[in-house]
Amino acid sequence: MHKFPIQIRFNDVDMLGHVNNVIYGHYFDLARHDFMMKTLGGVIDLRHSRRILIMVHTEYDFVRPSFLTDLLYVETALHRIGKKSVHFTQQIVDNKGIIRVKSLSVMSTYDKETGSSFEITPEWEQMLRKTC
């Protein structure tokens, strides 16, 4: 399980004092990016690589509200590695372990030259499986 700390910014909070629901997607993205850089960072460089992973599906369950003074973390784990996709489970928890938001997401392989997906390479799969 990969754990990533989140800094809540003042502009993340709505008029009720809650972290706005849209912002949680940003938090999950930050943590997923950190996770991917730590697992595939030597293989995928989004600026220069022809073959990358792109987000194709996300879903969220909002369990409890978060506030500006909360200490939050995103926990990221691989749920499944498919032939052309990587499935994640993530959750935002506070410093006491209370779940605030849950997420499931899927990233697909994408070849920038052909505009289509491709099968995950054995090298990628091996590096990803080390985290499972």
Side-chain angles (χ1 to χ4, degrees):
M1 174 89 53
H2 176 264
K3 191 172 182 177
F4 184 79
I6 293 297
Q7 177 185 354
I8 302 173
R9 301 167 303 171
F10 178 76
N11 61 330
D12 293 348
V13 179
D14 61 23
M15 295 301 289
L16 295 174
H18 303 114
V19 171
N20 187 287
N21 286 356
V22 173
I23 299 300
Y24 290 114
H26 298 282
Y27 296 166
F28 286 125
D29 286 344
L30 287 168
R32 201 171 32 254
H33 178 263
D34 189 65
F35 174 88
M36 294 302 290
M37 291 308 295
K38 288 181 176 164
T39 56
L40 293 177
V43 178
I44 298 177
D45 177 352
L46 295 178
R47 295 166 293 151
H48 305 294
S49 296
R50 173 183 167 183
R51 293 180 154 194
I52 60 173
L53 289 168
I54 59 170
M55 184 60 63
V56 295
H57 177 81
T58 58
E59 59 185 77
Y60 306 114
D61 290 318
F62 301 101
V63 180
R64 288 197 162 99
S66 300
F67 302 91
L68 184 62
T69 58
D70 288 335
L71 298 174
L72 300 180
Y73 302 89
V74 179
E75 296 176 341
T76 302
L78 279 177
H79 176 67
R80 183 170 82 83
I81 301 171
K83 282 188 167 193
K84 297 181 178 184
S85 61
V86 181
H87 302 241
F88 293 92
T89 58
Q90 291 179 286
Q91 58 186 20
I92 295 177
V93 299
D94 64 19
N95 58 321
K96 297 176 185 170
I98 297 172
I99 297 171
R100 304 303 179 90
V101 183
K102 296 178 184 181
S103 174
L104 298 173
S105 58
V106 180
M107 295 185 83
S108 175
T109 58
Y110 183 76
D111 185 311
K112 291 192 268 185
E113 286 185 20
T114 65
S116 60
S117 62
F118 59 91
E119 288 196 15
I120 290 176
T121 67
E123 180 183 19
W124 286 21
E125 184 172 0
Q126 182 182 24
M127 293 174 82
L128 288 165
R129 290 212 182 275
K130 288 181 184 178
T131 66
C132 295

